[in-house]
Amino acid sequence: QVQLVESGGGLVQAGESLRLSCSASGRTFSSYAAGWFRQAPGKEREFVAAISWSRGLTYYADAVKGRFTITRDNAKNTVYLQMNRLKPEDTAVYYCATSTLPWTIRRADYNYWGQGTQVTVSS
């Protein structure tokens, strides 16, 4: 079992930046893929970014490519999402998740989820 806790959300203006953090506890976190997903009101939860256990692989949704960066510090059991040039359409609850696979971008492969952190971008 692994527990995930997100932090770093908030209210910002369009064009500004935020960095989300996800701290993990429980089973070994460093051997598995980690990802960020988001869910806006009235919409399905969608994939944002993923990083492999070794940090050698990353993948981004087209909507955030070039603006968001996912990183991880396995020694600290923490995954980060640096979000730059934020847009109003980035407004959502952001969820951290981890898989039991070393690399995947499929939502169905992510077994453990945090409680989410709200990001609101005003225009």
Side-chain angles (χ1 to χ4, degrees):
Q1 194 77 359
V2 62
Q3 292 77 43
L4 303 173
V5 178
E6 303 97 334
S7 62
L11 171 63
V12 297
Q13 292 189 333
E16 295 184 339
S17 299
L18 278 175
R19 188 174 83 153
L20 305 182
S21 299
C22 173
S23 297
S25 60
R27 68 167 174 83
T28 301
F29 174 71
S30 60
S31 300
Y32 305 103
W36 287 95
F37 296 75
R38 67 186 182 186
Q39 188 167 17
K43 294 189 177 182
E44 294 282 322
R45 190 172 300 187
E46 65 177 5
F47 169 82
V48 175
I51 187 166
S52 65
W53 75 274
S54 66
R55 295 162 289 176
L57 294 173
T58 57
Y59 189 82
Y60 299 92
D62 287 344
V64 306
K65 200 173 297 182
R67 299 187 298 121
F68 290 11
T69 303
I70 186 171
T71 56
R72 68 190 299 167
D73 185 336
N74 288 335
K76 295 183 178 179
N77 279 343
T78 302
V79 177
Y80 305 96
L81 185 68
Q82 178 67 43
M83 306 185 295
N84 297 330
R85 303 196 308 277
L86 282 160
K87 304 176 180 180
E89 50 264 44
D90 294 319
T91 295
V93 176
Y94 283 70
Y95 297 90
C96 172
T98 185
S99 172
T100 54
L101 301 173
W103 171 244
T104 181
I105 62 171
R106 294 179 64 236
R107 178 183 163 184
D109 292 332
Y110 285 84
N111 312 97
Y112 301 100
W113 295 81
Q115 82 290 348
T117 185
Q118 177 70 47
V119 172
T120 303
V121 184
S122 64
S123 57

